[in-house]
Amino acid sequence: RVLFRSDKSRVTIFGESAGGISVHALQMSPLAAGLFSGAIAQSGTMFMTKVSAAKSQDWRTARSFAEIFNCSLDYKTSMLICLQEVAPATLQTTTSITGLSTKFDWASPWPVQDYYSSNPVLPLDPLEAMVRGQFNKVPIMTGAVQHEGALSLIYAQVAEDKEKWWR
């Protein structure tokens, strides 16, 4: 039996690229308060999102996926349960073009501001949360990785519409 002994008051979360975005999302979430005491975010923050939550209409992705998998379209628990029962491999192969990108132009890889929820994970736009001081105030180390985004060049080579890719 192996025991992992640690100081629960000294937990640091770390992420790079999309993981860095996730670290920043946890820093913005009131539901994560007290779960970590430090953060390291490399090459990714919530400030990278380009469209406001109110305008992004991320709900379209859920509806499209629900239609594909014959789930309820009511945005209620039944829809959620149905989508959660889809095997991850099936979800990926059914909804992606090459395994690298989604078939849906509007599908957002970003954490979504869910101010409409009764118990929101991200109740405020990240910039608004920072300005108001409504975020988990822990020491944070952030930076960028050399050649970050180079993998995107591979995606650009397989894109069917290269003009659209670079816009």
Side-chain angles (χ1 to χ4, degrees), residues 7 55 82 91 94 126 130 140 148 152 163:
D7 182 347
K55 293 181 183 177
C82 179
L91 181 65
T94 305
M130 295 291 283
I140 184 165
E148 175 68 30
S152 296
E163 281 293 315

Side-chain angles (χ1 to χ4, degrees), residues 60-96:
R60 294 182 296 179
T61 303
R63 183 177 182 88
S64 295
F65 288 7
E67 286 174 352
I68 290 169
F69 296 109
N70 298 314
C71 297
S72 166
L73 302 177
D74 62 5
Y75 296 101
K76 295 189 178 174
T77 304
S78 58
M79 180 180 177
L80 174 64
I81 290 170
C82 179
L83 289 171
Q84 288 175 333
E85 290 175 348
V86 177
T90 302
L91 181 65
Q92 182 178 7
T93 57
T94 305
T95 60
S96 67

